[in-house]
Amino acid sequence: MSTSTPSTPSSSSLRILSIPPFNQASTTRLQALYSDFTRQKHSNPVSFQANVEWWKNALETVVTYGLQDSNESAGSRVILHANSTLQERVKIPKVGKPLALGTVLTELHSLRSFIPITEFMNLKASIYATSSLPVRLVSYVVGKPLWWALEHAGVVGDEGIFGSSTSERNKSTAWHGDYVLIPSLETVADAIMEAQRDSETTTADALYTWPCFSRTFAHVLDDSFDQIDKQDLKVLLKYLERDRGLVVYDKDVIKFVESDADVEERSITAVDRGVLELKNVVESLAQQLESLQNKIDRCTREASISMKQGRKSIALNHLRLRKQLHELLDKRLNSHATLESTLLTVEAAMEDREIMESYQSSTATLKAILAHPSLQRENIEKTMEALAEANTDAHEVDEAIKVGGDIALGVDANISDAEVEEELEALVQEMAAVKVNDSRSEAEQRLLDLRVPEHTPQTTEAGWKSSKIPVLARQ
């Protein structure tokens, strides 16, 4: 007996409910977000904008995790494929499908967060260009009040005479299409530039073919990717060239440049093509060397197995093949070494050219500075003479101030230093003599104090005072 399970969540629904912001919202909140909240734009604009922002984050997550495609390990990572299939893939049990998805995409398009891919690829100016800002401001200041008045008059809007309501447009397919997710595109572009800066050491490292670029930076979009989706690659290159000014490319060559590079550096030259071709040959030979080495190892293993099994003829055949592969490997090694050396020489020559250009620029700058009138010999001599005169005047002023100060303090300016030193020496000798006399008197006094008077039956009062015993008794 078979039973239907219409309420059983699909694998995509379970995956959706396990990632933010879906897993951070309650069922009640999800029901509100999945409902047609179009009319809230006028009745409750704060709630409307909050819902649009939530869907913006949600759709970016769906694209980043590859949930808009049945195969999550493939597909786009910067382009949203908006259609009925997308509605089904984000469908949630007990909540349903998003009914206001058309309104959300229209609003995000007006905010320049999501841009239809055709419009994005055909833009001439950068998406960050401000040239159209005055026009948008005038349109907002003049157009919004007029539109508001017409809406309240019933001429336009959901129930107006022009077209169908927004709810009806949500039900139609007018919003279907591919949209470039600008926030996701910016994140991927930043990661690509960081990876390029980490790996770029020579001039050749800035040059890529389209397939090589796709393989080299596939991991930036998804760790499981071995190459970038073709549509994503075109969008990325257009963004890096037009909006960031970090690459130039044609149908064959992709070249990284500095954002402030001049016009000449922003062109792909014959030298660039030659270097890239040489780089590709070197990389191709490196892959051949790896493949030949793997074949040699395999022949060795097969020969060993055959010998153990007693199949000598088969083992000999493997050894002959291994010998041939060794000879071919030696030839390829020599070719690889020669071409790699040539590539290094070419890169060194290109860098030498850049260094010489820097020397020339520095020389021109130095000459321009030295040509300034203030650095001419005559002006330098005049300036140094004037400086010497100024220093002399300053010294004379300093001496005058010093003499004036001495006079004010009553110091005789004619007293010589020798006389002062003689007086100082005499004073030192006099102080030394006084110190010696004081020391002698002190020693004599100590001797007198230590002298013990003769024992007599009668001692006068004066005698007691001159002896040490009465003094100690008083203490």
Side-chain angles (χ1 to χ4, degrees), residues 309-371:
Q309 295 176 350
R311 295 182 292 181
K312 184 177 179 181
S313 58
I314 296 177
L316 290 174
N317 184 56
H318 286 304
L319 292 176
R320 291 191 191 96
L321 179 59
R322 187 181 70 171
K323 184 175 179 59
Q324 293 175 355
L325 290 172
H326 264 300
E327 293 176 355
L328 181 58
L329 179 62
D330 292 337
K331 293 179 181 179
R332 292 291 182 267
L333 280 171
N334 292 332
S335 299
H336 182 265
T338 302
L339 289 173
E340 195 168 32
S341 177
T342 303
L343 179 60
L344 290 174
T345 303
V346 171
E347 291 176 342
M350 294 179 67
E351 293 173 358
D352 289 342
R353 184 193 65 182
E354 295 176 357
I355 292 173
M356 291 305 300
E357 291 175 353
S358 299
Y359 284 164
Q360 292 175 356
S361 176
S362 301
T363 302
T365 302
L366 182 59
K367 286 184 176 180
I369 294 174
L370 294 176

Side-chain angles (χ1 to χ4, degrees), residues 448-449 451 453 460-471:
L448 291 175
D449 291 340
R451 184 176 301 166
T460 62
E461 183 179 355
W464 281 107
K465 291 182 178 179
S466 62
S467 66
K468 188 68 176 179
I469 297 174
V471 175

